[in-house]
Structures are given as structure tokens and as C-alpha cells.
Amino acid sequence: MKIGIRDGCLQQPWPAAFEMAARVGFDGLELDLGADYEGTLLWSAEGRRKLHGIIEASGIELASFCAGVCWTYSPASDDPAIRGRIRDMLVTTCGYCAEFGVKWILVPVTPGGEGVTHETGTQRWIEMMAEIAPVAAEHGVALCLENVGRGYGKSAAELANMTDTVASPGLKVYYDVGNALAFGNDPVAEIKFLGDRIGEVHIKERGADLLGEGEVPIPGCLAALRDLGYDDWLVLETAATSDPEAAARHNLGYLRKLLG
């Protein structure tokens, strides 16, 4: 398995985040595309040229993109214009993934806002993923639904329902072991249940800043992933603390020791 880290965990802009991630020894970096995604390097030809250079200079990979913009523009929104904007953004990102050799897009299953029921919101998510997943698959990319708070995919069963309904190689699960525990779920059991629906994995702690000092059964989660034959990215979504680089070194070292 390869180990990456989210850019936000290093509290650095993209160029410096790649430098720090490489210095610490990570295999890759996950970049967040928030509400300001159109202002990032990814959203212009010149910016992408620069990003290619940054990645090449760092010597590490681009693990995945995170569509954090879904917290601002949700596919479950009542507003058709908002749904259209996020649909177009995700489709465009699929193309950029292909350009950078990235297989995964983290998509947090965000709520639609006041007045949108769980049932309606879930159905809107399914409809949009059914529309975009074939496009993603054509690019060799998968949208990966993450179990996040305030949304419609807090459990493995909910995530499985969405992915199984769409039934496309362009739609997978981005499983977050820390979030699962926060929702009262057993991450080891959910990993086993989800099986090959899992495309990518977030590793984080609960009840502590540093891995191995909290409540998440990380060794059991890794064992369950190995039993499934999972051999892709483990991306840290860990606390930056007052010293992001030192925290990242501790967390990477802890995970590498467990992996042997």
C-alpha cells in the first residue's frame, strides 16, 4: 500500500505541501478542491503546466483530488443551478485526473440544505453519480463517496446502497476509518462488508491528535484491508497540531511500522 497525506494536514500551499510531503517521506499528496477551485493551478492550462512541474520536482505522486467544493455546492441541493455547477465541476475534474494519472476523486456525500429530506438527498446523489460515473470510467477514474457527517453516507450500508444502485466502475467508496468510529460504527466490520467497493481510504485518529494514541483500531483496519487484497492509497487526514511536519513524521512512521 502507498501512503499519502492531505494537503491541509501540512498547512502549506500546494508547492510547499509537495516539498514537505516529499521531505517527510510520503508517497503522495491528496489535493483539496474547495469553493475556490477555479482559482487553483488545476483550473488553467498554465496552472496545470506548473503543477506538473511541481509534482515532477517533488518526486512523489498525486494520490487523489478531493472535491471539497461539495460542501458549498451539493448534488443534493434544491437549486438546479447548484446541481449543474457541481456536476460540471466533477466532470471536468475527471478529465484533469486522466491528465495527471490520478485514479480517485474523493466526493463527500454532503447534504442538500434545509428542507431536503434524507430520502430526496440520497436520490439526487444517486442520480448525479449515475450520470457522471460512466464519464469517470471512460477516463479511468472513479468518484469515491466518503462517509462524512451531515450527509447521506454515514454507514457502509448507505454507501453500498448508492454504489450498488449506480453499478459502475466509475463509482467507488472512499472509506474513512475515523469518521466511521465517530458515527458509532465498527470500521473493521464495515471494511469487510464493503469489500471491493472501496477505492481509497482515509486514516485518521479519534480521541487524540497522533495515530496510535486514540480510539481507532488502525491495526485491525489494515488487517481487514489486507484480507480484501487492498493495495492502494492510505491517505492521512490527521491533525496538523502546532508542528505539522513533526506530526506528519510521527503518523507516517506509525503507519509504516504497522505495514511492516
Side-chain angles (χ1 to χ4, degrees), residues 183-199:
F183 304 148
N185 301 323
D186 178 348
V188 175
E190 288 203 321
I191 287 169
K192 294 177 180 178
F193 171 79
L194 287 167
D196 62 6
R197 298 180 184 89
I198 296 174

Side-chain angles (χ1 to χ4, degrees), residues 6 30 32 66-72 74-76 105-112 118 122 125 144-159 162 173-185 190 194 202 204 206 237:
R6 282 178 57 82
E30 178 177 276
D32 184 53
C66 169
V69 63
C70 288
W71 291 105
T72 303
S74 174
I105 302 174
L106 186 167
V107 187
V109 189
T110 53
H118 191 283
T122 299
W125 266 96
C144 296
L145 303 178
E146 187 187 13
N147 49 325
V148 295
R150 297 187 288 118
Y152 313 118
K154 290 185 179 181
S155 71
E158 288 178 304
L159 294 172
M162 286 187 275
V173 169
Y174 200 125
Y175 193 71
D176 188 307
V177 300
N179 287 353
L181 195 67
F183 304 148
N185 301 323
E190 288 203 321
L194 287 167
H202 262 169
K204 67 158 63 104
R206 179 165 172 78
E237 189 179 29

Side-chain angles (χ1 to χ4, degrees), residues 74-108:
S74 174
S77 173
D78 271 333
D79 187 341
I82 288 177
R83 297 199 302 272
R85 176 165 181 167
I86 191 60
R87 180 187 62 246
D88 292 346
M89 183 272 179
L90 291 173
V91 167
T92 301
T93 303
C94 288
Y96 294 155
C97 281
E99 177 181 336
F100 283 88
V102 172
K103 295 192 300 181
W104 313 115
I105 302 174
L106 186 167
V107 187

Side-chain angles (χ1 to χ4, degrees), residues 145-245:
L145 303 178
E146 187 187 13
N147 49 325
V148 295
R150 297 187 288 118
Y152 313 118
K154 290 185 179 181
S155 71
E158 288 178 304
L159 294 172
N161 172 59
M162 286 187 275
T163 56
D164 292 355
T165 300
V166 174
S168 167
L171 187 65
K172 293 280 192 177
V173 169
Y174 200 125
Y175 193 71
D176 188 307
V177 300
N179 287 353
L181 195 67
F183 304 148
N185 301 323
D186 178 348
V188 175
E190 288 203 321
I191 287 169
K192 294 177 180 178
F193 171 79
L194 287 167
D196 62 6
R197 298 180 184 89
I198 296 174
E200 199 167 12
V201 176
H202 262 169
I203 301 292
K204 67 158 63 104
E205 195 54 274
R206 179 165 172 78
D209 286 338
L210 301 177
L211 295 184
E213 298 182 3
E215 305 165 2
V216 178
I218 296 173
C221 291
L222 297 182
L225 288 167
R226 277 178 158 161
D227 287 346
L228 295 175
Y230 181 85
D231 192 29
D232 217 292
W233 286 100
L234 303 174
V235 177
L236 302 189
E237 189 179 29
T238 43
T241 75
S242 59
D243 190 338
E245 185 165 342

Side-chain angles (χ1 to χ4, degrees), residues 23-64:
R23 186 165 62 246
V24 173
F26 285 97
D27 299 308
L29 190 67
E30 178 177 276
L31 299 181
D32 184 53
L33 299 170
D36 63 343
Y37 67 93
E38 292 174 307
T40 68
L41 292 176
L42 192 64
W43 235 254
S44 70
E46 176 61 18
R48 290 192 298 279
R49 186 191 67 78
K50 290 180 180 178
L51 185 55
H52 277 294
I54 291 166
I55 294 168
E56 183 177 357
S58 73
I60 65 172
E61 298 178 58
L62 182 51
S64 45

